[in-house]
Amino acid sequence: MSINEISANRSFGGWHKQFTHTSSVLNCEMRFAVYLPPQMEQGKNVPVLYWLSGLTCTDENFMQKAGAHRMAAELGMMIVAPDTSPRGDDVADDEGYDLGKGAGFYVNATQEPWAKHYQMYDYVTRELPQIIEGNFSVNNKKAILGHSMGGHGALMIALRNPDMFVSASAFSPIVNPMNCPWGKKAFTAYLGSDEQEWQQYDSCFLLEQAEKQIPMLVSQGDADQFLTEQLKPETLQAVARKKNYPLILEIHQGYDHSYYFIASFIEQHLKFHAEHLA
Ligand SMILES: N[C@@H](CCC(=O)N[C@@H](CS)C(=O)NCC(=O)O)C(=O)O
């Protein structure tokens, strides 16, 4: 699978780079970004951290705003940030910011007009890791994290693939998309109205069923404008307590939904994953 480098910036002794490639899973041209720590230039195979962004984002938001490069350089981990949906003029879209482009919800759509391109679950779990492993000197250790819609993606993907990822974490995640307006709107459009089809993408449902446990960290600001209507992390915590699942939920006073919150706690998240990626 060939990829084309379209930008490269030196950052903390390593590189921030963007690539485009033709995705056979999404049926379109895609862009992703990576942070390559300095250890890679010294010939070391490094572990990979997959970052999934939230609504309206591209590969750029995290790389430009989270301030993650310094710690990734220190810890020697590669970061991969995919886009949040398929892209291009022939890809279906919606007027709302929370459906269509920029809002793929990391599911495999089964409904029209979405199914042809909106296969983000397969893209993130299958095609993108193959591309990374085929083009970069990485080892076989992977972890996953994300924000909001991407927090949902990270936790849901980790819960479904506990042998693929050693740890998972999220900032302000949508933990129970089946029961919040963002999730109901997207799942109805992408998956249809049969709610049984939604369960495979709902972290609360998946955690309830989980047989294998992996360490999980969730950070949430209590001044987040989406907290009570969309996010409700206590729902996931209740299931985790019942199952004795190793979920750490930290509520941070005064923090909102923005990248200022992510930037404030990204070091803690990277160190959490580094412990398990070692
Ligand atoms: N209506 C808001 C909601 C979208 C939103 O808050 N997106 C979050 C993820 S759910 C985000 O990361 N936005 C981009 C950024 O802050 O860089 C908007 O369009 O900004």
Side-chain angles (χ1 to χ4, degrees), residues 54-57 61 65 97 147-149 182 226 257 259:
L55 292 165
T56 74
C57 291
N61 303 65
K65 291 172 141 182
Y97 73 94
H147 172 227
S148 194
M149 175 185 73
W182 275 340
F226 301 114
H257 196 67
Y259 267 87

